[in-house]
Amino acid sequence: MSHEIRIDKTKSPKAKPDQSNLGFGKYFTDHMFIMDYTEGTGWHDARIVPYGPLELDPATAALHYGQAIFEGMKAYNTQDGRILLFRPHKNMQRINVTNARMCIPQIDEDFFVDAVKALVNIDRDWIPASQGTSLYIRPFIFATDAVLGVHPSNTYKFIVILSPVGAYYSTGINPVKIYVENSYVRAVKGGTGFAKTCGNYAASLKAQAEAAEKGYIQVLWLDGVEKKYVEEVGSMNVFFKINGEVITPSLEGSILPGITRDSTIHLLKSMGIKVTERRIAIQEVFDAHKAGLLEEAFGTGTAAVISPIGELNWNGTGIIVNNGCTGELSSHIYDTITGIQSGELPDTFNWTVEVK
Amino acid sequence: MSHEIRIDKTKSPKAKPDQSNLGFGKYFTDHMFIMDYTEGTGWHDARIVPYGPLELDPATAALHYGQAIFEGMKAYNTQDGRILLFRPHKNMQRINVTNARMCIPQIDEDFFVDAVKALVNIDRDWIPASQGTSLYIRPFIFATDAVLGVHPSNTYKFIVILSPVGAYYSTGINPVKIYVENSYVRAVKGGTGFAKTCGNYAASLKAQAEAAEKGYIQVLWLDGVEKKYVEEVGSMNVFFKINGEVITPSLEGSILPGITRDSTIHLLKSMGIKVTERRIAIQEVFDAHKAGLLEEAFGTGTAAVISPIGELNWNGTGIIVNNGCTGELSSHIYDTITGIQSGELPDTFNWTVEVK
């Protein structure tokens, strides 16, 4: 499959936001990439056009039945003036895994990496330069049939929008308080937990809101069957360092296969640290803490990269991890991944892709 | 809370579709109801305007994180020229139950019933008259913040659209073949199964598509924890008549509390038939069939009202229910509910509400 990308540049570029106060996903660049899918024709009409509103029929399937998926990735300005993407093919591969689960047609992964590159290149002046900032890239696909029957849509839109984002932690990485969720369930094996589909995120809002009211920044999800095994933290994967070994829940269908998770595992292995993917019970984490063996805990994700866990509360029992401080390993992984992403460290794993 | 509804009538009414070939949710009427929500202001700017496309920012939260819900209800033309809604307050109550789960602000139930009445009244010429047809009413709410952070939106749209729909079964009600789903899970306790939110429907598409390939019209969902207990059939509630008693799964958080389900239970009780809401294992259904005690099985829902089950396949074992014919009780419930809905039978339960 090969496509031409039609380019229609904006005639009225927007003012760029203050780089010191970007926040996350609040500002959008001058252009967006759009491509349509029609059953029989396939993906067609690839174009980069001025960022602006979509005209959608009120019966648009995605608004009613949630057949919609997304990805999240970032572009970085390096100090020597290059623009780097971080493992973009992994995102496009995951789109196809998600699409298969959600009955959305497959995409041409190479072409869509090229499309992202073309879009980022056009809006390259929007990539912020200050420490910790980046250009967040949001590819998403949604069902556009304007019919109310519950069935896979015959038409879709693939859109990529770009948002300059600030450092996730304005004062460097800081440990967060996490509430172990016992009532609400994020996902269960046989469901859509491994897919990056919109419904997973809507389902998580209530638990998140209730934890926030109790003073916790995120929830730690337990499995939906036994409420026993650790799944994710908020919308991040989670790692525990116990007695020198790093353990992360194995991917068994209910957990998102995070790209930062994968990068972290590679990095740990290259450091000679034992890393194990397996089911881990929350009781085991608490027992390890009691025995003085829980050394660090952290979440991994595209937005925050590494988010150290300073406190865990489960059924009213709170434990403080690593005296509430960011662990040495958490810091090292954060520094290494962000260093590779921003071109400050050598790309020993061949993870970055330059936008030219 | 009291609201004025601003009315802006279309200047170019559409041609009405052929009533003999309406299908489901394919045609929409001339008008729609819209109301906006803004944090701090609440629901405001209620209006009935010409049906037409919505202008939505590409970052619209509902398209990314699925914070969107809907309802389904019907309006009927009676032979004596009245327009009837069927238990509309139940739909609006359920919206609020769904909203609470999905972190969407509550609505004023009475006002929204009035809004539906006003909209149906304006498009009353669109209500089809022939046997089995009706005007399908689709209220829905979705998050409209154009920000990529995962959190409850501060702004929403409540929209109601109307679609003239045909008889669900063109040749009367017919038993369908159902595949008992062992791999995919629709919902689990602690999740969003009881809420009418978009993600539940997207999650169901894959199993539905695979069952269709095997020649089955719908799947029967089992519970996500033990894959043992019956939950729903497709997007309908399910009933089994076993040895004179009617059993339907109890509402324990993973099942939609259907309004046709509730109406069916009331009707059965009024007929002096024993009806029990409890967990029912699929094994029990198959055992009852083996013992010659499984008399009928049927689904209930707004679209089809009653959908008799003629065949069930579980792990490769097929059973034929009631010789593959529509059961006497299934027929009777269908005739009674549709009779009340269309004004042909006396409304002994006070279920209908007239649109004046």
Side-chain angles (χ1 to χ4, degrees):
Chain A
M1 184 161 54
S2 137
H3 304 282
E4 287 285 315
I5 302 177
R6 176 165 58 83
I7 293 173
D8 171 18
K9 282 210 188 180
T10 182
K11 282 163 193 76
S12 45
K14 293 181 276 194
K16 295 190 179 60
D18 174 7
Q19 283 202 23
S20 67
N21 192 20
L22 290 169
F24 183 82
K26 293 198 280 190
Y27 303 99
F28 298 95
T29 66
D30 281 325
H31 299 90
M32 60 185 177
F33 171 87
I34 307 189
M35 194 164 188
D36 297 304
Y37 179 91
T38 308
E39 187 72 32
T41 306
W43 290 106
H44 62 92
D45 199 11
R47 59 211 187 263
I48 290 173
V49 295
Y51 185 97
L54 309 169
E55 280 216 341
L56 297 180
D57 194 285
T60 294
L63 294 175
H64 297 262
Y65 304 129
Q67 201 190 5
I69 69 105
F70 70 94
E71 269 300 328
M73 51 205 291
K74 286 178 176 172
Y76 303 82
N77 253 327
T78 69
Q79 291 199 313
D80 58 357
R82 292 175 302 142
I83 297 168
L84 298 182
L85 302 177
F86 186 72
R87 311 185 78 187
H89 285 90
K90 295 289 276 185
N91 294 90
M92 294 303 169
Q93 284 161 14
R94 190 167 61 183
I95 283 188
N96 273 339
V97 172
T98 296
N99 282 359
R101 178 63 180 87
M102 307 313 294
C103 297
I104 295 175
Q106 296 287 293
I107 62 162
D108 177 335
E109 296 166 14
D110 290 334
F111 171 72
F112 279 100
V113 170
D114 288 344
V116 165
K117 285 185 192 174
L119 179 65
V120 169
N121 193 40
I122 280 181
D123 280 339
R124 58 192 303 141
D125 292 346
W126 282 83
I127 309 177
S130 47
Q131 177 70 31
T133 63
S134 60
L135 186 74
Y136 183 78
I137 301 166
R138 168 56 60 90
F140 62 110
I141 303 176
F142 64 95
T144 55
D145 276 6
V147 176
L148 294 183
V150 180
H151 55 65
S153 185
N154 290 312
T155 59
Y156 298 87
K157 276 191 191 303
F158 185 119
I159 301 183
V160 184
I161 55 178
L162 307 175
S163 172
V165 298
Y168 201 82
Y169 302 105
S170 48
T171 56
I173 63 172
N174 277 312
V176 292
K177 289 173 69 176
I178 301 288
Y179 183 81
V180 180
E181 179 57 51
N182 258 329
S183 304
Y184 296 109
V185 171
R186 178 187 169 273
V188 71
K189 199 172 168 172
T192 60
F194 69 89
K196 219 161 163 68
T197 183
C198 67
N200 292 342
Y201 296 81
S204 76
L205 296 173
K206 183 79 172 167
Q208 174 63 31
E210 291 185 8
E213 273 172 30
K214 297 183 191 105
Y216 296 86
I217 200 96
Q218 284 285 4
V219 300
L220 182 148
W221 299 102
L222 298 179
D223 76 280
V225 173
E226 298 181 69
K227 302 262 174 72
K228 191 171 157 183
Y229 296 100
V230 173
E231 297 244 316
E232 296 189 12
V233 166
S235 49
M236 294 184 290
N237 295 115
V238 65
F239 289 74
F240 301 96
K241 182 160 176 259
I242 296 175
N243 200 19
E245 177 188 2
V246 177
I247 302 158
T248 192
S250 41
L251 303 174
E252 299 184 14
S254 56
I255 296 176
L256 192 80
I259 293 163
T260 313
R261 174 187 183 277
D262 183 79
S263 305
T264 299
I265 291 170
H266 273 87
L267 197 55
L268 289 167
K269 286 184 178 165
S270 78
M271 294 163 68
I273 292 173
K274 185 176 178 194
V275 50
T276 309
E277 298 176 69
R278 64 166 168 86
R279 299 183 92 185
I280 177 165
I282 186 68
Q283 185 67 57
E284 180 181 345
V285 174
F286 273 64
D287 287 349
H289 177 264
K290 204 169 185 178
L293 300 173
L294 178 61
E295 294 156 5
E296 298 187 34
F298 57 91
T300 64
T302 295
V305 186
I306 298 294
S307 185
I309 295 171
E311 186 179 334
L312 279 169
N313 186 301
W314 179 38
N315 281 335
T317 302
I319 60 172
I320 305 293
V321 184
N322 191 35
N323 299 314
C325 301
T326 298
E328 209 179 307
L329 186 65
S330 308
S331 279
H332 179 76
I333 296 168
Y334 178 80
D335 291 343
T336 308
I337 293 180
T338 56
I340 293 171
Q341 288 173 332
S342 62
E344 282 161 46
L345 290 179
D347 179 13
T348 44
F349 299 94
N350 247 322
W351 280 339
T352 61
V353 171
E354 193 175 340
V355 175
K356 285 182 181 165
Chain B
M1 182 160 56
S2 137
H3 303 282
E4 287 284 314
I5 302 177
R6 177 166 57 84
I7 293 174
D8 171 18
K9 282 209 188 183
T10 182
K11 281 162 192 76
S12 45
K14 294 181 276 194
K16 295 188 180 62
D18 175 6
Q19 285 203 21
S20 67
N21 192 22
L22 290 170
F24 182 81
K26 293 197 281 189
Y27 303 99
F28 298 95
T29 66
D30 281 325
H31 298 89
M32 60 184 177
F33 171 87
I34 307 189
M35 194 163 188
D36 297 305
Y37 179 91
T38 309
E39 188 70 32
T41 307
W43 290 106
H44 62 90
D45 199 13
R47 58 212 187 263
I48 290 172
V49 295
Y51 185 98
L54 308 170
E55 278 215 342
L56 298 180
D57 193 283
T60 295
L63 293 175
H64 297 262
Y65 303 129
Q67 201 191 4
I69 68 105
F70 69 93
E71 271 299 328
M73 49 206 290
K74 286 179 176 171
Y76 302 83
N77 254 328
T78 68
Q79 292 200 312
D80 57 359
R82 291 174 304 143
I83 297 169
L84 298 181
L85 301 177
F86 185 71
R87 309 185 77 187
H89 285 88
K90 295 289 276 184
N91 293 90
M92 294 303 168
Q93 285 160 15
R94 190 167 62 184
I95 282 189
N96 273 340
V97 172
T98 297
N99 282 358
R101 177 65 181 85
M102 306 313 294
C103 296
I104 296 175
Q106 296 285 294
I107 62 163
D108 177 334
E109 297 166 12
D110 290 335
F111 171 72
F112 280 99
V113 170
D114 287 346
V116 165
K117 283 185 191 174
L119 180 65
V120 169
N121 194 39
I122 280 180
D123 280 340
R124 59 191 303 142
D125 292 348
W126 282 83
I127 310 176
S130 47
Q131 178 70 30
T133 63
S134 59
L135 185 73
Y136 182 78
I137 301 166
R138 166 57 57 92
F140 62 111
I141 303 176
F142 64 97
T144 55
D145 276 6
V147 176
L148 294 182
V150 179
H151 54 66
S153 186
N154 291 311
T155 60
Y156 298 86
K157 276 191 191 301
F158 185 117
I159 301 182
V160 184
I161 55 179
L162 306 175
S163 173
V165 298
Y168 202 83
Y169 301 105
S170 48
T171 55
I173 63 172
N174 276 313
V176 291
K177 288 173 69 177
I178 301 290
Y179 183 80
V180 180
E181 179 57 50
N182 258 329
S183 304
Y184 297 109
V185 171
R186 176 186 169 275
V188 70
K189 199 172 170 174
T192 60
F194 69 89
K196 219 163 162 67
T197 184
C198 67
N200 292 341
Y201 296 81
S204 76
L205 296 173
K206 184 77 172 168
Q208 173 64 32
E210 292 186 6
E213 272 171 30
K214 297 183 192 105
Y216 296 85
I217 199 96
Q218 284 287 1
V219 299
L220 181 147
W221 299 102
L222 298 178
D223 76 281
V225 173
E226 299 180 70
K227 302 263 174 74
K228 191 172 157 184
Y229 297 100
V230 172
E231 298 244 315
E232 297 189 11
V233 167
S235 50
M236 294 184 291
N237 295 115
V238 64
F239 289 75
F240 300 97
K241 182 162 178 256
I242 296 176
N243 199 20
E245 176 187 1
V246 177
I247 302 158
T248 191
S250 40
L251 303 175
E252 299 183 14
S254 55
I255 297 175
L256 192 80
I259 294 165
T260 313
R261 174 187 183 277
D262 182 80
S263 305
T264 299
I265 291 171
H266 273 88
L267 196 56
L268 290 167
K269 285 184 178 166
S270 78
M271 293 164 69
I273 292 173
K274 186 177 178 193
V275 50
T276 308
E277 297 176 68
R278 65 165 167 86
R279 300 182 90 185
I280 178 165
I282 187 68
Q283 185 67 57
E284 180 181 345
V285 174
F286 274 63
D287 287 349
H289 177 264
K290 204 168 185 181
L293 300 173
L294 177 61
E295 295 156 5
E296 298 187 33
F298 57 91
T300 64
T302 295
V305 187
I306 298 293
S307 184
I309 296 171
E311 185 178 335
L312 279 169
N313 187 301
W314 179 38
N315 283 334
T317 304
I319 59 173
I320 305 293
V321 184
N322 192 37
N323 299 315
C325 301
T326 298
E328 208 179 308
L329 186 64
S330 308
S331 280
H332 179 74
I333 296 167
Y334 178 81
D335 291 343
T336 307
I337 292 180
T338 56
I340 293 172
Q341 289 172 330
S342 62
E344 283 161 43
L345 291 179
D347 180 12
T348 44
F349 298 94
N350 246 322
W351 280 339
T352 61
V353 171
E354 193 175 341
V355 174
K356 286 184 178 164

